[in-house]
Amino acid sequence: MVLFDTGGIRHAAAGGFASLEHALPFTPDTTNRLASISKHFLAATLLLEEIPLEAPLGTLLEGLPPPSAPCRWRGRWT
């Protein structure tokens, strides 16, 4: 779990195992994939903030690497 605001991360906590087989603990520094629910929050935020879906990603995400920057959504990423 991560608690954050505009100032950055305020607190991070984790529990359980990153690997049951090796009994490696899951910590706030463990690399992982975001849960599927994140897509729903992103879609709702884009709609609420009236962010144009057809805009190139590079205009929305500063510092995006050149291969991804010109990508656009047209019913699928192009």
Side-chain angles (χ1 to χ4, degrees), residues 19-47:
S19 169
L20 290 174
E21 179 182 357
H22 301 288
L24 296 173
F26 189 91
T27 71
D29 296 320
T30 301
T31 302
N32 60 36
R33 296 175 61 185
L34 296 175
S36 295
I37 189 107
S38 62
K39 291 176 255 181
H40 301 284
F41 285 107
L42 174 60
T45 300
L46 292 173
L47 293 171

Side-chain angles (χ1 to χ4, degrees), residues 56-76:
L57 287 177
T59 63
L60 304 171
L61 302 170
E62 186 178 319
L64 198 62
S68 301
C71 291
R72 296 173 184 263
W73 178 258
R74 293 186 180 125
R76 62 183 174 80

